[in-house]
Amino acid sequence: MILRRLAGAGGLPLLVLALGFALALPWLLYPPVATDILCWALFAVALDLLIGYAGLLSFGHAAFWGSSAYATGLIAIHTGLPFPVAVLGGAVLAAVLALPIGFLAVRRTGIYFAMVTLAFAQLVYFTANQWKDVTGGENGLQAIPRKLPGLDLDDAFTFYYAALPLVLAALFAAWRTVRSPFGRVVTAVRDNPDRTRALGYSADRYRLAAFTGSAFLTGVAGGLYAINHRFASLQEVYWTTSGKAVVMVLLGGIGTLWGAVVGAAALVRLEDWLATAGFEQTQVVTGTVFIAVVLLVRRGLWGTAAALARRAMEKTSTPRAELVDDTSIPRKLRA
Amino acid sequence: MTSSTSTHGPPGTARPLLTTHSLTKSFGGFTALGPVDLSVAEGTVHALVGPNGAGKTTLFHLLTGYLRPTTGRIALAGRDGTGRPPERIARLGVARSFQVTSLFATVSAVEHVELALMSGSSLGRAFWRSDRQLARHRSPALDLLDRVGLADWAGEPAGRLPYGRGRALELALALALDPRLLLLDEPTAGMGVEDVERTVELIARIRHGRTVVLVEHNMSVVASLADRVTVLQRGRLLAEGAYDEVRADERVVEAYLGTGHD
């Protein structure tokens, strides 16, 4: 039952296919790149939780990705704890940081929310740059250890499979949150905050909770990224990192979760391919691809594919019966 | 001791459930409302009427927490409701309807009511549970839809409900909160005659055991439902009393028709 719901419109085969793909990835790609895809996919899903379901466009999520990257690195360096513990520590710090930022930011929506989150992220960036004793400033945090008892994680191939369960658990948490009673309230707040308040729900509190949860999952992704690279730098808290995650979500299609995974995988793969081909101006190409997708397929790669598949299925099968049978709430279809 | 649900009595025979003291609201330098001293007796249907721009909507927004008063106080069931946000007002046992039908277009009627019923518990915070948990509210939700005549529309997305049915769903949502005080903002606005009759019947049925404040333009609706009528003009109380008294009041006639009559 839960598997069927997990797979959503695509059914069980899609879920099996996705899992199979995740297991095969380090055979298909250079393993560190495969792990990068895991990290960015989780980052994009965490951001889609906020953009697609809470209706809040954060342009400052690098603050959570980056602060967790630093915290995870510091924990791993100074305590030598197993990497999942360090990553969770980093994620908790990201969530704690999200509370005051979110408290101030959720009072605004739309472009103002984006600007407030960007401003706070820049504040985090400058703090990281100045606080050289802790963050290493321009040099970053280096030689972050990768530890897990019983496994040799110096091998990037092994590390991918050690990181995969953590990412899958976090992705499941995101999926569960979206399809929970809490998720219903959050989407109601997104669609009509005044009406939802009249029912007794505090719009700001639900937005803050969604923001904090999103920051936590972003923190898991950022911490894992630092472990993967054994390095945490200012790049992780820079605004372009926030922008990259937003691009991934829009590329895949907002409000679908699957789309964020597809968008992240596509962008990381494209950048890696361009870099290995010796192409220097990767951002010109990715920017062009982004503009083309936004202009031509507004629902994003996944959103468009899902819409086409749905239309094809409705044509072949008996659509009425399926509609009546589906007791889950009609998910918001973004036009 | 008269029963608190007795009608047409003078103010003060029943305990007031809602009172305002010198309530005012200014926008910039312009005083849109007040000072207003209003007292709504428990168990009554109390109508707020007045010409356009009289301040009815401003008063409604103040009572429901969507506007903060400039000065003055609001007491709800003996508790201070001044300046509380809408969700806190709702938790004091006050439910409101919206003048413009305000629903979630893709969400079905029964899921609307489930969402409203859930607000009484902590289930809405459960991000780790399946949204199928809301099914625990399914049968009370269907009962409520039945009460407002929407039993056949339970699975329909709100965006596809005919206008009058959407308004009925608005009422079902307010009722789902089981409020002591029900604030209805023009419940028959924009309705055809048949829907107006159905809505009046419905309000007459659900008023029992509750206090209702009704902002309404349609005087026949006011006449058939209201125990007391407060007339507002230019942000101030003009007259108050039973419908027949108020209708005979010269100041009220003047306010509605202008000074040209003889």
Side-chain angles (χ1 to χ4, degrees):
Chain A
M1 188 57 111
I2 198 163
L3 284 178
R4 261 196 64 181
R5 293 197 79 203
L6 252 176
L12 201 54
L14 182 70
L15 188 65
V16 173
L17 195 72
L19 279 176
F21 201 68
L23 287 171
L25 203 58
W27 266 289
L28 306 172
L29 296 173
Y30 182 50
V33 175
T35 310
D36 268 1
I37 288 180
L38 291 185
C39 297
W40 283 104
L42 178 57
F43 188 1
V45 164
L47 191 58
D48 189 28
L49 202 64
L50 201 60
I51 299 177
Y53 295 90
L56 296 169
L57 173 58
S58 167
F59 215 83
H61 257 43
F64 310 121
W65 164 273
S67 57
S68 173
Y70 280 121
T72 300
L74 288 167
I75 294 170
I77 290 169
H78 294 294
T79 68
L81 284 167
F83 83 89
V85 179
V87 168
L88 285 179
V92 168
L93 178 94
V96 169
L97 186 64
L99 279 171
I101 294 177
F103 182 79
L104 294 167
V106 297
R107 277 138 211 281
R108 297 275 176 274
T109 54
I111 192 73
Y112 298 102
F113 179 85
M115 289 299 113
V116 172
T117 49
L118 173 62
F120 277 110
Q122 288 300 90
L123 207 64
V124 171
Y125 171 79
F126 287 116
T127 306
N129 194 13
Q130 293 298 315
W131 204 5
K132 291 186 171 59
D133 297 343
V134 174
T135 62
E138 302 262 321
N139 297 324
L141 273 185
Q142 299 184 10
I144 297 171
R146 247 189 228 166
K147 283 193 182 150
L148 195 65
L151 279 176
D152 173 24
L153 295 185
D154 286 336
D155 179 19
F157 194 80
T158 316
F159 178 64
Y160 175 89
Y161 290 103
L164 186 61
L166 195 61
V167 171
L168 290 180
L171 290 176
F172 177 77
W175 176 85
R176 173 83 287 165
T177 302
V178 162
R179 281 159 185 78
S180 70
F182 172 81
R184 290 261 187 118
V185 181
V186 165
T187 47
V189 168
R190 173 195 69 192
D191 292 343
N192 196 337
D194 279 348
R195 168 38 106 185
T196 314
R197 295 179 82 187
L199 297 178
Y201 298 104
S202 165
D204 283 354
R205 278 194 202 176
Y206 277 88
R207 287 191 185 119
L208 178 59
F211 188 75
T212 308
S214 170
F216 178 82
L217 294 178
T218 302
V220 172
L224 211 51
Y225 187 83
I227 299 276
N228 185 35
H229 290 255
R230 301 163 188 254
F231 180 57
S233 73
L234 284 173
Q235 178 63 38
E236 268 63 81
V237 280
Y238 199 48
W239 67 270
T240 53
T241 296
S242 302
K244 189 169 164 182
V246 172
V247 166
M248 286 169 173
V249 173
L250 295 180
L251 198 62
I254 62 171
T256 60
L257 297 190
W258 282 104
V261 174
V262 171
L267 200 65
V268 172
R269 185 73 193 94
L270 180 66
E271 283 188 352
D272 177 55
W273 181 68
L274 289 170
T276 47
F279 196 84
E280 306 235 323
Q281 300 299 321
T282 51
Q283 287 177 352
V284 174
V285 178
T286 55
T288 309
V289 169
F290 175 60
I291 291 169
V293 168
V294 169
L295 288 180
L296 298 176
V297 281
R298 284 192 305 143
R299 288 174 179 175
L301 299 172
W302 180 264
T304 304
L308 289 175
R310 208 174 300 124
R311 208 175 305 160
M313 268 162 67
E314 275 173 22
K315 262 183 199 160
T316 52
S317 63
T318 47
R320 292 299 288 174
E322 282 202 4
L323 280 176
V324 174
D325 184 47
D326 186 10
T327 52
S328 66
I329 72 164
R331 290 291 153 200
K332 189 89 182 162
L333 294 176
R334 299 250 145 192
Chain B
M1 187 75 194
T2 50
S3 149
S4 66
T5 52
S6 77
T7 57
H8 303 282
T13 48
R15 205 159 56 87
L17 185 69
L18 164 69
T19 54
T20 71
H21 301 286
S22 310
L23 195 66
T24 68
K25 179 65 189 178
S26 307
F27 298 101
F30 171 69
T31 303
L33 186 80
V36 167
D37 289 280
L38 184 72
S39 178
V40 176
E42 186 156 18
T44 60
V45 175
H46 196 124
L48 297 174
V49 304
N52 285 330
K56 303 185 299 287
T57 302
T58 304
L59 179 55
F60 196 88
H61 284 324
L62 289 171
L63 295 178
T64 49
Y66 286 84
L67 285 176
R68 289 178 72 92
T70 307
T71 61
R73 306 213 72 76
I74 300 168
L76 291 161
R79 296 173 71 178
D80 186 18
T82 316
R84 291 195 192 222
E87 59 272 17
R88 298 281 297 280
I89 301 267
R91 290 185 174 274
L92 285 177
V94 180
R96 68 166 293 187
S97 73
F98 284 76
Q99 189 181 117
V100 178
T101 305
S102 178
L103 299 164
F104 307 102
T106 59
V107 178
S108 73
V110 69
E111 282 162 347
H112 272 82
V113 183
E114 285 170 3
L115 184 71
L117 288 169
M118 184 172 75
S119 79
S121 69
S122 61
L123 184 61
R125 280 173 242 146
F127 62 86
W128 59 92
R129 304 180 83 161
S130 167
D131 57 6
R132 296 190 172 195
Q133 288 288 326
L134 269 87
R136 68 172 72 161
H137 296 303
R138 179 62 47 110
S139 102
L142 291 172
D143 286 348
L144 264 169
L145 288 178
D146 193 33
R147 279 180 74 190
V148 302
L150 283 176
D152 295 338
W153 302 82
E156 200 72 15
R160 291 220 294 258
L161 292 177
Y163 183 77
R165 303 296 177 166
R167 305 306 308 256
L169 181 54
E170 281 277 339
L171 283 174
L173 284 185
L175 283 179
L177 303 181
D178 194 21
R180 291 181 71 183
L181 177 61
L182 190 55
L183 298 164
L184 302 177
D185 195 2
E186 302 203 19
T188 66
M191 282 187 180
V193 182
E194 197 182 313
D195 277 338
V196 169
E197 279 173 17
R198 193 156 39 196
T199 306
V200 169
E201 271 172 37
L202 178 60
I203 295 171
R205 248 187 297 138
I206 63 180
R207 63 164 293 185
H208 294 291
R210 303 179 204 287
T211 309
V212 179
V213 172
L214 183 71
V215 172
E216 186 54 71
H217 269 302
N218 186 329
M219 283 304 144
S220 71
V221 172
V222 173
S224 51
L225 284 173
D227 302 314
R228 284 191 82 73
V229 179
T230 294
V231 186
L232 289 163
Q233 189 196 18
R234 295 198 199 108
R236 287 165 178 270
L237 293 192
L238 183 67
E240 191 178 303
Y243 178 74
D244 292 333
E245 289 166 37
V246 165
R247 207 176 63 144
D249 192 307
E250 280 194 20
R251 292 167 303 170
V252 175
V253 176
E254 205 171 284
Y256 269 91
L257 300 179
T259 48
H261 76 290
D262 44 335

